[in-house]
Amino acid sequence: MLEDEQLITAVYDALARRHPKSRTRGRKGTPADVVLRLLLLKHIRNWSYQVLEREVRTNLVYRDFTHVGGAKAPDAKTMGRWGLALGRRRSKRSIAEWWNSPKRTTS
């Protein structure tokens, strides 16, 4: 799931639809794979956005998993906006489909 180009493209497109011309104007946004990994971690751990922010900021393992690395961790309000942009049902359904897929058990 984390390397699925179709899913990453869907996340990128959803983030780009938040504002007109967001793909061509302003500073670069957070990469779609980072957003996907952050929201996946939130879902798997059943955390709030505030807890997700705190854990990613302080835990090196989570920083590595989410590809945040040495950069500043996104704040809870920003991650909440990403969740709204992706749509709660869409992201949960995609995660559930991946979790139940036969590909996951064989890889």
Side-chain angles (χ1 to χ4, degrees):
M1 172 184 167
L2 299 175
E3 304 299 328
D4 183 9
E5 288 298 321
Q6 186 177 10
L7 186 58
I8 292 173
T9 302
V11 171
Y12 177 76
D13 291 340
L15 293 174
R17 282 192 304 267
R18 291 188 309 163
H19 299 289
K21 299 184 181 180
S22 64
R23 289 185 187 187
T24 59
R25 301 277 200 284
R27 66 177 177 215
K28 299 288 183 191
T30 305
D33 67 318
V34 173
V35 173
L36 179 64
R37 287 169 179 268
L38 284 164
L39 295 179
L40 178 68
L41 183 61
K42 177 194 178 302
H43 175 73
I44 289 174
R45 296 291 186 180
N46 198 25
W47 287 336
S48 67
Y49 288 111
Q50 289 81 15
V51 173
L52 178 63
E53 175 189 2
R54 184 185 69 228
E55 292 295 326
V56 170
R57 187 179 48 219
T58 59
N59 191 318
L60 293 176
V61 174
Y62 294 145
R63 292 180 78 84
D64 186 49
F65 170 74
T66 59
H67 294 176
V68 170
K72 184 180 176 199
D75 66 350
K77 191 172 182 178
T78 301
M79 291 186 280
R81 289 179 182 151
W82 294 338
L84 289 175
L86 291 177
R88 185 175 174 89
R89 285 189 215 134
R90 182 185 313 149
S91 60
K92 281 198 170 198
R93 183 177 61 232
S94 298
I95 291 168
E97 287 171 359
W98 170 77
W99 188 258
N100 295 322
S101 73
K103 280 184 177 179
R104 183 188 69 84
T105 56
T106 59
S107 11

